[in-house]
Amino acid sequence: MPNVHSSKQYDLELEMIQSKILAMGGLVESQFQDAMSCFRSGDVVQADRVIKGDDAVNQLEVTLDDACSRLIVRRQPTANDLRIVMSTYNIITDLERIGDEATKIARAAKSIKERGAAILNHYETVRVIAAGAGAMLHDALDAFARLDEKQAVRIIAQDESVDYEFRSIMRTLITFMMEDPRTISIAMDTIWVAKAIERIGDHAKNIAEYVIYIVEGKDIRHTDYAAANKDLAG
């Protein structure tokens, strides 16, 4: 009976942590959306809100890291349970880094607005990659909430499209800078934004990989798991 009670308590604590992670995920998803909004509109007030909002994300990371550590110390999980806790810990880290990338986008939006740079349509340049990375992030959080392995595989496969789009943006902006030196400043800001978006896609992919690790117990990092599981990715 004590073991049953301990197991139930462990499950409750883990569910509470996972619920707070999803709340943190919702927060960073909003951060990213708001960062792209102010990058499009040049709204400096909104950009400042995104930057300031990163403090709340950082605090959540500290709180959740501590909750995971205390769960390990008190409950001493083993095997599958420990795998879940460690994967959860890593997902927290990825979410915090997504918040950092959103902050970089907001800072770039402020920089462009304050310089009055409007030689090229910087938002249209990154619109497609932003939509792709945003969808990956949303789906990764959903896959984590439902522990959906099939959706996780599809997310991993999508990262290739985001990477391709980033390389295309780089080629386009380098061409602009070579043809018209007046575009160099805003093009560099846009490159930093595109890189931040690409990194958000990478972190969403990481979350998907941890979902697979939780479900299957397979560490698929640095492997072409999506290609080897086309039936799931389709």
Side-chain angles (χ1 to χ4, degrees):
M1 183 66 71
N3 287 338
V4 172
H5 175 76
S6 178
S7 176
K8 286 183 178 179
Q9 186 63 31
Y10 166 81
D11 289 342
L12 286 171
E13 290 182 30
L14 185 59
E15 285 175 12
M16 182 182 69
I17 290 171
Q18 291 172 335
S19 177
K20 288 182 178 179
I21 288 174
L22 291 172
M24 181 182 182
L27 185 58
V28 299
E29 191 174 9
S30 293
Q31 256 193 304
F32 178 42
Q33 292 170 352
D34 290 346
M36 291 310 306
S37 176
C38 64
F39 188 67
R40 180 179 66 247
S41 67
D43 187 335
V44 174
V45 174
Q46 186 177 34
D48 283 333
R49 281 200 301 267
V50 173
I51 294 166
K52 186 173 178 57
D54 197 46
D55 291 339
V57 174
N58 292 339
Q59 187 55 53
L60 270 172
E61 181 195 24
V62 172
T63 300
L64 286 167
D65 282 354
D66 182 60
C68 287
S69 297
R70 285 188 282 109
L71 183 63
I72 291 172
V73 170
R74 286 204 307 268
R75 307 301 171 190
Q76 298 183 349
T78 58
N80 291 349
D81 288 339
L82 182 59
R83 186 175 76 234
I84 292 170
V85 176
M86 296 311 297
S87 296
T88 299
Y89 182 88
N90 287 318
I91 288 171
I92 294 164
T93 300
D94 276 300
L95 289 175
E96 188 275 333
R97 289 176 180 169
I98 290 171
D100 289 344
E101 299 300 339
T103 300
K104 291 178 186 177
I105 296 169
R107 292 188 190 281
K110 282 189 66 175
S111 174
I112 291 171
K113 180 65 175 180
E114 287 167 357
R115 290 199 314 273
I119 300 170
L120 60 85
N121 192 332
H122 54 281
Y123 175 75
E124 280 300 315
T125 304
V126 299
R127 179 178 57 81
V128 173
I129 192 175
M136 284 180 68
L137 173 57
H138 180 81
D139 291 347
L141 292 168
D142 184 59
F144 173 64
R146 298 186 293 110
L147 293 182
D148 187 333
E149 177 196 7
K150 291 183 179 181
Q151 184 160 328
V153 174
R154 289 194 292 269
I155 293 162
I156 293 167
Q158 289 165 12
D159 189 54
E160 187 175 337
S161 297
V162 171
D163 290 344
Y164 175 84
E165 187 64 28
F166 174 69
R167 292 191 295 270
S168 177
I169 289 169
M170 286 289 292
R171 289 192 296 269
T172 298
L173 292 176
I174 288 171
T175 300
F176 281 147
M177 288 189 285
M178 291 175 65
E179 292 179 349
D180 186 351
R182 293 176 304 162
T183 67
I184 290 176
S185 180
I186 188 172
M188 289 303 300
D189 277 327
T190 307
I191 285 172
W192 286 117
V193 168
K195 183 59 180 176
I197 296 169
E198 188 265 342
R199 289 295 299 144
I200 287 172
D202 287 343
H203 290 303
K205 177 186 176 183
N206 290 347
I207 293 170
E209 288 175 343
Y210 288 123
V211 169
I212 291 171
Y213 184 53
I214 291 171
V215 174
E216 290 194 5
K218 294 179 182 177
D219 186 347
I220 64 165
R221 291 174 298 173
H222 314 301
T223 68
D224 198 354
Y225 187 84
N229 292 269
K230 289 182 180 178
D231 56 325
L232 294 177

